[in-house]
């Protein structure tokens, strides 16, 4: 039993599929959103944010790396890579270092990348 890690020692966030939240949210650590969020999402460290297929986000997202499988309407500001998968539906503004859009994704964006110079 000595090798168990207590939940208090973990740095992650999971917002479940049937959860609906409104407001300004600041997270640390790996974050998965499967519910509905209206408002601002801020990842305070360099951890990955994943927007699951069942999720709907309306508002501003500030993060490092982002994987989008669900729906996002609003602004995305990423200091790393934004990756939009075939189930992703995006409407709004994306400012990121790198942007990857997989075939099948539905996008209506104003996008800006800074790139890494490679």
């Amino acid at each position: 039993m000595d090798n168990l890690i207590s939940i208090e020692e973990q740095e992650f966030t999971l917002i479940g599929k049937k959860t609906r939240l409104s407001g300004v949210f600041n997270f640390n650590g790996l974050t998965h959103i499967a519910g509905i969020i209206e408002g601002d999402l801020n990842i305070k460290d360099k951890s990955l944010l994943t927007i699951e297929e069942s999720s709907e986000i309306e508002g501003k997202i500030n993060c490092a790396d982002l994987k989008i499988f669900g729906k996002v309407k609003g602004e995305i500001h990423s200091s790393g890579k934004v990756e939009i998968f075939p189930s992703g539906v995006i409407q709004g503004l994306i400012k990121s270092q790198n942007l990857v859009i997989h075939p099948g994704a539905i996008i209506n964006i104003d996008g800006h990348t800074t790139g890494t110079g490679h």
Side-chain angles (χ1 to χ4, degrees):
M1 299 300 266
D2 291 338
N3 62 351
L4 291 178
I5 299 173
S6 70
I7 194 75
E8 292 85 12
E9 295 176 24
Q10 299 299 307
E11 285 193 33
F12 68 90
T13 303
L14 172 61
I15 304 297
K17 196 173 187 177
K18 295 190 179 196
T19 303
R20 178 183 288 270
L21 300 172
S22 180
V24 176
F25 304 95
N26 298 303
F27 300 120
N28 284 308
L30 184 66
T31 302
H32 283 262
I33 308 293
I36 297 170
I37 294 185
E38 203 173 290
D40 296 350
L41 259 172
N42 302 298
I43 306 300
K44 293 298 194 179
D45 57 12
K46 300 269 184 218
S47 296
L48 174 65
L49 170 61
T50 302
I51 308 297
E52 300 292 349
E53 193 169 348
S54 61
S55 67
E56 295 179 24
I57 311 294
E58 186 168 344
K60 291 182 183 177
I61 298 173
N62 294 293
C63 62
D65 293 327
L66 172 62
K67 291 187 176 187
I68 302 172
F69 296 89
K71 296 177 182 172
V72 176
K73 182 178 182 181
E75 293 183 23
I76 297 170
H77 298 270
S78 164
S79 61
K81 178 168 76 171
V82 173
E83 193 167 3
I84 306 168
F85 290 86
S87 57
V89 178
I90 312 300
Q91 182 178 347
L93 170 73
I94 298 177
K95 288 186 178 181
S96 67
Q97 185 173 355
N98 293 297
L99 177 62
V100 177
I101 303 170
H102 292 276
I106 298 171
I107 61 166
N108 181 9
I109 64 168
D110 180 9
H112 306 274
T113 59
T114 59
T116 59
H118 294 111

